[in-house]
Amino acid sequence: MVPTNHYGANSAWLQLCVLAHNLMRSFQLHTTLAWPKPRSRKRTYSYRIASMKTLRFLFVNRAARLTRISGRNVLRFSSNPATETIYHRIAGRLAACYFISY
């Protein structure tokens, strides 16, 4: 859905949407979150890319409890080994990409 009836604003909105889409695809490909699809005669190589909604629920929407420890607010997440593995893998891949590019 385009937010306005002005051509310039709609153009900027579309460019931001394209930029966000490309950044998320690149993020998934570089952090190995996108896994290869099986090859066939028609499709030689392709990846399964998760949607923005899936990624938002995977990384951002996590159940946590806000507690007060020694006068400080602390956000405590439940222990989830599968999620921790994904976070460590992403951090390692991002660190490797950072050191390679600079």
Side-chain angles (χ1 to χ4, degrees):
M1 181 173 137
V2 180
T4 67
N5 288 327
H6 299 285
Y7 179 77
N10 292 344
S11 236
W13 176 260
L14 180 63
Q15 289 176 0
L16 286 173
C17 289
V18 169
L19 178 65
H21 173 78
N22 288 338
L23 284 173
M24 287 312 299
R25 284 182 65 93
S26 178
F27 172 76
Q28 290 183 55
L29 291 171
H30 288 323
T31 57
T32 65
L33 287 174
W35 58 90
K37 289 182 181 178
R39 292 181 179 206
S40 68
R41 289 185 323 158
K42 292 183 179 180
R43 182 181 58 234
T44 58
Y45 205 63
S46 184
Y47 289 94
R48 288 193 178 141
I49 304 288
S51 69
M52 291 287 285
K53 183 177 182 180
T54 301
L55 292 175
R56 185 177 67 241
F57 281 104
L58 184 64
F59 299 123
V60 179
N61 294 351
R62 288 278 158 207
R65 178 176 290 166
L66 186 63
T67 58
R68 192 161 180 86
I69 299 174
S70 301
R72 292 183 13 219
N73 288 330
V74 177
L75 189 62
R76 292 221 165 163
F77 291 93
S78 60
S79 178
N80 187 344
T83 303
E84 290 175 12
T85 303
I86 292 172
Y87 283 145
H88 289 299
R89 188 177 75 200
I90 290 171
R93 292 289 297 173
L94 288 177
C97 289
Y98 178 74
F99 287 123
I100 289 171
S101 64
Y102 289 102

